[in-house]
């Protein structure tokens, strides 16, 4: 989860740096830049969700010391309701 959150941060930064340059190039070519708003919204969504992911990861790390593989070979639910978290469940792989 830590690596995933870190990678999301890199994606957010890349989008933040790239969209203005892409917009400028499209403007110079006289092309429509309106679809870039979806990319900007994605960056905003990532920025809004990263603190929640960090908080959830910290809560899971605090109560799960063994991150071994589930014996069934799949994911096993982590009941976040036991720890006053927003979501009803996340998954421990």
């Amino acid at each position: 989860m830590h690596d995933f959150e870190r990678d999301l941060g890199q994606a957010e930064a890349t989008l933040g740096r790239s969209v203005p340059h892409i917009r400028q190039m499209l403007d110079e070519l006289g092309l429509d830049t309106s679809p870039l708003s979806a990319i900007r919204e994605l960056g905003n969504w990532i920025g809004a969700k990263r603190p929640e992911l960090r908080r959830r990861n910290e809560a899971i790390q605090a109560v799960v010391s063994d991150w071994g593989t589930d014996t069934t070979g799949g994911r096993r639910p982590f009941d976040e309701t036991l720890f006053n978290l927003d979501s009803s469940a996340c998954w421990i792989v």
Side-chain angles (χ1 to χ4, degrees):
M1 180 79 86
H2 171 75
D3 292 346
F4 178 66
E5 188 275 326
R6 182 200 63 219
D7 293 345
L8 279 178
Q10 291 174 349
E12 178 186 10
T14 299
L15 290 173
R17 283 190 314 269
S18 301
V19 168
H21 296 296
I22 295 169
R23 183 178 306 281
Q24 180 183 1
M25 286 196 260
L26 292 175
D27 278 338
E28 289 172 2
L29 295 170
L31 298 172
D32 182 19
T33 60
S34 62
L36 292 175
S37 62
I39 296 172
R40 188 188 69 238
E41 288 178 29
L42 175 61
N44 293 340
W45 179 83
I46 290 171
K49 291 297 179 181
R50 285 181 60 217
E52 177 185 344
L53 288 173
R54 280 191 297 270
R55 180 182 52 77
R56 292 171 72 183
N57 186 44
E58 290 168 1
I60 292 168
Q61 293 288 339
V63 297
V64 178
S65 59
D66 179 18
W67 284 90
T69 305
D70 183 19
T71 57
T72 63
R75 293 190 252 174
R76 55 191 160 118
F78 178 80
D79 187 359
E80 293 184 26
T81 59
L82 299 173
F83 304 97
N84 295 323
L85 300 174
D86 296 338
S87 181
S88 62
C90 67
W91 297 92
I92 300 169
V93 179

